[in-house]
Amino acid sequence: MFNVFSGAGLSADPPAALPLGAAFHHDLIDVCLDAADAVAPGVVTAAGRTTLRTRHWNVIARLHACAEPGDGHAAAVLSCFGLVVPGAAHLLSAWRLATSGMHVTLNFDDGIERAYALLSGRADLPPGTPGCFFPALAAWRKRFPRDAPPLTVVTRPRDLGRTNGALLVKLRGSAGSPEMLLPARPPMDLAESVHLGAARLAVLDSLTGSGFVLVTGYSGADLDCADALVSRLRPGAFAWVAQRVDPHLAGRLREISPEQPVLADPESGLRATLAEDLPPWPRVHAATAGYATAFEAWRRLPTGLPAQACAWMLSDSGRHDEAIEVFRRLSTRIPTARIKARLATALDRRDAPGDRAEARALRLRAARTPGAPAQVRAYALAGLAHSAPASALISLAGGDRVRAVEAAATAMLLRGPRRRWWRWALGRYLTVLVRRALARAETRIPGVGRTHASLCVRHVQLALLLRRPVSARMLRELDWAARVYAHLDDPAGLAEIAAVRARLNPPPALRQARPRPPRPRAAARPRARAAPRTPPPGSTGSRAARR
């Protein structure tokens, strides 16, 4: 069986001409920065702009998390990836699906679906298409397999287990079904997806375990899919064809197979895998509106949504003064509980005189706001209870359980009870909650980012606190958390992991230190022999004497 895994490079050439991940990311960041300038002119400095442009963000998920329930502006950006005329790589991918195997893609666009419909005769080119495409399509249709099965497209989490027919799995969803990208319950603390859930990992297992895999149009610059995919590749059972590959990832690929990766475009890689020589496909732009026109229409969304996302990213990147000022201007325009809770978090992170008192007042107001979503109230309560580990668990009832357990474990390790027996009991209870939260996080489709990484660190720290053995799985989780913090450029998280590793592997000087001499044992007292028992008067002595 021949399987394909594709990235954004599959749709980069005309007539599709969709942007790569980095270009699309910069477009979204610019929208957020322009909105912040409209709300708070001159507040975001040049250094803040550079910080936002150079770090990794999931801007779509952050916009979704800033929106109120029922607001679909964040999901609407995916409609910009609709295609009118697919490219040559899409047609070759559809041809490969018609013969054998499955195709797993990270793209939002519908290029492969449109190509399959065009080749099978279920759809025609739309009016206004340049005339050079019509004879090319007729030549392709003549050679398309007549017995091609109907295409099955998986775009929702509950359908990831399907494996029948010509199967196209869109691992991050599509414009019509954004459930894979946007969670039903948006996060409040972090939106970056840096870990694949169990269902999507099972898709990668099926992809790499059932035959040869062609990875094309994918640079591997992200964290969630690249590491999981590379760890499943086998020598001689894959080919990696892309115009650009992350340098670190290229070194890992050469360790698995010395001839990989191959720097070439996706069309060349796909044509090399087919036994027959298919006709060429025009590389000209379609005469219809494309991505640029659709994106310009989408970016005219309400200013408050991208401005709030911009302030959130500024706070996460350490630009606290700029983030707080943008949040303050927003709270005067849009006094919602969500903005108050995020402003309180930014104040806590800056920790200037008076910030904690103001943050506490803001959280109280957010928690008492009538009609506020339960998740926002739980987030505010968890922030109020951060100084007491037992009371931090009150948000477990109606909010984000993973974040609440992480907050409780952090508070326990920072300000745990002084009594040893109470610290031991609370530590054991929190260890159970952390294990359950990690299991819950692994089954989430979009991933939980920094909170999940922090949970992995807390798991090891609690084991050290309770003097329990640290398992191999916990060490792997710690290594994964280190990669997450490195990917997010978080020096505080990396320093915390370094401190945990120092406790796990003490320096040789400490390991070779002279052990403490044993305490001298007190000399054992000689055991006195019991005096012979004298028979009472009137008795005849022992039982033997009586006999």
Side-chain angles (χ1 to χ4, degrees):
M1 185 178 291
F2 194 98
N3 301 325
V4 180
F5 182 95
S6 64
L10 195 76
S11 306
D13 294 329
L18 293 178
L20 297 176
F24 179 57
H25 173 263
H26 289 159
D27 289 346
L28 292 175
I29 290 292
D30 288 341
V31 170
C32 295
L33 288 172
D34 293 344
D37 283 339
V39 172
V43 170
V44 183
T45 62
R49 291 173 174 272
T50 303
T51 301
L52 293 195
R53 288 195 177 103
T54 53
R55 293 187 62 174
H56 300 278
W57 309 104
N58 187 346
V59 185
I60 300 179
R62 286 180 179 262
L63 290 170
H64 180 60
C66 293
E68 296 301 318
D71 191 340
H73 281 97
V77 71
L78 300 181
S79 62
C80 300
F81 289 87
L83 292 182
V84 177
V85 180
H90 297 133
L91 270 71
L92 291 167
S93 300
W95 196 287
R96 175 54 70 183
L97 276 172
T99 54
S100 68
M102 64 186 297
H103 190 124
V104 178
T105 183
L106 301 177
N107 300 339
F108 307 131
D109 62 77
D110 55 351
I112 301 176
E113 300 97 295
R114 285 184 179 270
Y116 205 95
L118 286 173
L119 293 178
S120 60
R122 296 185 178 93
D124 293 317
L125 291 170
T129 305
C132 58
F133 286 100
F134 290 93
L137 178 59
W140 279 73
R141 280 179 173 174
K142 287 180 182 180
R143 306 177 68 174
F144 191 69
R146 300 295 180 186
D147 56 347
L151 180 64
T152 302
V153 184
V154 174
T155 60
R156 293 176 293 186
R158 61 175 177 267
D159 297 332
L160 285 175
R162 300 182 64 177
T163 58
N164 57 321
L167 185 64
L168 172 63
V169 181
K170 311 191 80 169
L171 214 58
R172 288 178 178 163
S174 64
S177 300
E179 294 95 337
M180 297 278 240
L181 179 68
L182 304 178
R185 180 177 298 193
M188 287 292 295
D189 55 349
L190 190 78
E192 277 62 51
S193 172
V194 290
H195 182 70
L196 290 181
R200 290 195 284 188
L201 289 176
V203 172
L204 294 185
D205 290 335
S206 177
L207 176 81
T208 56
S210 59
F212 192 88
V213 181
L214 171 66
V215 182
T216 184
Y218 178 53
S219 66
D222 59 351
L223 181 66
D224 53 354
C225 291
D227 185 70
L229 177 63
V230 173
S231 63
R232 287 164 168 78
L233 296 177
R234 298 167 297 162
F238 78 99
W240 195 297
V241 181
Q243 291 179 311
R244 179 189 171 275
V245 180
D246 182 76
H248 174 70
L249 187 65
R252 293 182 59 188
L253 293 175
R254 282 191 289 269
E255 293 177 359
I256 303 173
S257 183
E259 63 273 10
Q260 302 298 332
V262 178
L263 299 182
D265 62 317
E267 182 180 353
S268 302
L270 286 164
R271 284 187 182 274
T273 63
L274 295 172
E276 51 188 320
D277 187 18
L278 295 175
W281 185 255
R283 284 197 177 194
V284 297
H285 290 276
T288 55
Y291 164 81
T293 306
F295 189 82
E296 285 300 321
W298 172 83
R299 70 181 302 163
R300 293 192 289 269
L301 72 166
T303 308
L305 194 61
Q308 186 183 163
C310 181
W312 185 8
M313 289 184 284
L314 287 169
S315 177
D316 283 353
S317 57
R319 315 289 303 183
H320 302 305
D321 294 339
E322 301 168 36
I324 289 171
E325 187 58 31
V326 175
F327 272 132
R328 287 192 195 280
R329 304 277 183 94
L330 274 173
S331 62
T332 58
R333 292 187 179 190
I334 315 170
T336 62
R338 193 182 305 271
I339 294 178
K340 294 174 186 175
R342 289 213 168 95
L343 174 58
T345 301
L347 288 167
D348 270 345
R349 290 175 176 174
R350 187 175 69 174
D351 201 15
D355 281 353
R356 290 194 176 273
E358 184 181 358
R360 181 177 179 82
L362 285 169
R363 287 194 174 99
L364 284 172
R365 275 186 279 170
R368 296 169 181 171
T369 300
Q375 184 192 15
V376 177
R377 293 199 301 269
Y379 179 75
L381 290 173
L384 285 170
H386 194 270
S387 59
S391 57
L393 301 179
I394 58 177
S395 60
L396 291 174
D400 190 343
R401 300 186 180 185
V402 175
R403 189 199 177 278
V405 171
E406 188 272 334
T410 302
M412 159 69 191
L413 293 165
L414 290 176
R415 313 176 187 86
R418 295 183 178 180
R419 294 192 178 186
R420 182 179 299 178
W421 64 270
W422 176 234
R423 186 169 64 248
W424 177 83
L426 189 56
R428 288 200 61 182
Y429 178 59
L430 283 174
T431 300
V432 174
L433 291 181
V434 166
R435 288 175 183 169
R436 292 178 180 176
L438 283 173
R440 176 183 174 85
E442 288 177 357
T443 59
R444 287 185 170 189
I445 287 299
V448 290
R450 197 189 308 263
T451 305
H452 191 176
S454 179
L455 274 175
C456 296
V457 180
R458 302 292 173 263
H459 197 192
V460 178
Q461 288 176 327
L462 286 171
L464 293 173
L465 177 69
L466 300 175
R467 298 182 180 180
R468 295 256 176 127
V470 178
S471 64
R473 178 175 180 177
M474 295 166 68
L475 292 177
R476 288 195 300 269
E477 290 174 346
L478 193 66
D479 293 339
W480 176 83
R483 292 197 300 272
V484 170
Y485 286 136
H487 183 73
L488 297 176
D489 192 17
D490 188 347
L494 292 173
E496 186 177 31
I497 290 180
V500 172
R501 285 174 172 168
R503 292 185 62 187
L504 290 171
N505 303 305
L510 294 179
R511 288 199 297 263
Q512 297 174 4
R514 186 176 63 180
R516 182 182 298 178
R519 296 177 60 182
R521 297 181 61 181
R525 292 184 179 182
R527 190 173 181 180
R529 294 185 62 181
R533 185 177 179 184
T534 56
S539 65
T540 57
S542 65
R543 185 178 298 176
R546 288 198 298 270
R547 289 178 181 173

